Amino acid sequence: NLVHVTAGNYTRGGESMNIASGLGAATTLSAADADAIGRGIRGIKYSSPGVSLRAWTVSPSQRFYTKIQGAGAPFAKMYAWTFARGRFFSEEEVASRARVAVLGSATRDRLFAAEENPVGREIRIRDQPFTVVGVTNSSDQDQIEQVFVPYTTLQELLGIGYLHTITVAAEQAGDASRLAQEITLLLR
């Protein structure tokens, strides 16, 4: 039921090997696009702007090179996450560019001792402090090794105003294809 919208300059010629060149090279996807999708297309349950980065995440005693995913507050609801500890960040924290982070379980294990509760503790991303507010129970292999922060905070950290992705959750599981077509038309 998820549709991933990405901006990118795709170079033709790699199709015979299923290679899409130039993915993410465009800087045209914006928060206004995410708002337009949410307002203008029926059948959307949740949508979340996204920005990502690969970087060192540092705790007081460890460091781990992983994906930092900037997301909107509905992101956790899209995946029906529960939390081993804490919570996901709020709309207010996204709007205020709060320096808060949610850890995937494997990232938590790499950064903190087994008996340690990371909620309320500080980690650093690109030498900037973030307060851990939650640890997900997600079992998705990609998500357990990520750090999630408000997309606005990551935009500020990277000095960008654009998005890398917009993730959209359909109200009905069979609607993903229709939503993808309507989103394509709307954005073009």
Side-chain angles (χ1 to χ4, degrees):
N1 68 336
L2 296 179
V3 175
H4 298 281
V5 180
T6 57
N9 297 328
Y10 291 91
T11 307
R12 298 289 178 215
E15 289 117 0
S16 62
M17 293 180 262
N18 290 322
I19 298 171
S21 303
L23 177 62
T27 58
T28 56
L29 203 56
S30 69
D33 292 329
D35 290 341
I37 290 168
R39 283 191 323 272
I41 297 178
R42 64 177 173 73
I44 293 177
K45 189 171 185 177
Y46 304 112
S47 68
S48 173
V51 178
S52 60
L53 162 74
R54 287 205 159 279
W56 286 102
T57 303
V58 182
S59 72
S61 61
Q62 299 292 324
R63 52 190 266 158
F64 182 49
Y65 191 78
T66 192
K67 182 178 180 183
I68 314 302
Q69 179 65 53
F75 193 82
K77 293 176 186 171
M78 291 180 175
Y79 292 96
W81 283 353
T82 58
F83 292 86
R85 294 189 182 267
R87 60 177 176 82
F88 204 65
F89 42 84
S90 67
E91 292 284 356
E92 293 79 20
E93 288 167 320
V94 173
S96 69
R97 294 180 162 87
R99 301 278 170 123
V100 292
V102 175
L103 307 179
S105 59
T107 302
R108 181 237 148 325
D109 293 345
R110 296 291 296 263
L111 294 174
F112 294 95
E115 68 281 354
E116 210 172 352
N117 179 0
V119 173
R121 302 287 308 276
E122 181 181 289
I123 61 171
R124 295 184 85 74
I125 300 168
R126 283 204 161 177
D127 206 32
Q128 297 298 309
F130 284 76
T131 301
V132 176
V133 295
V135 178
T136 73
N137 270 336
S138 173
S139 58
D140 181 281
Q141 282 303 113
D142 291 332
Q143 293 173 347
I144 65 172
E145 292 190 350
Q146 291 183 31
V147 176
F148 301 89
V149 301
Y151 80 93
T152 52
T153 307
L154 195 51
Q155 283 179 314
E156 183 176 75
L157 195 65
L158 294 172
I160 62 173
Y162 59 89
L163 303 175
H164 294 131
T165 63
I166 301 169
T167 305
V168 177
E171 287 178 352
Q172 304 287 326
D175 276 356
S177 294
R178 177 189 60 80
L179 288 177
Q181 290 173 341
E182 289 185 25
I183 290 168
T184 300
L185 290 171
L186 177 69
L187 292 180
R188 286 200 173 137

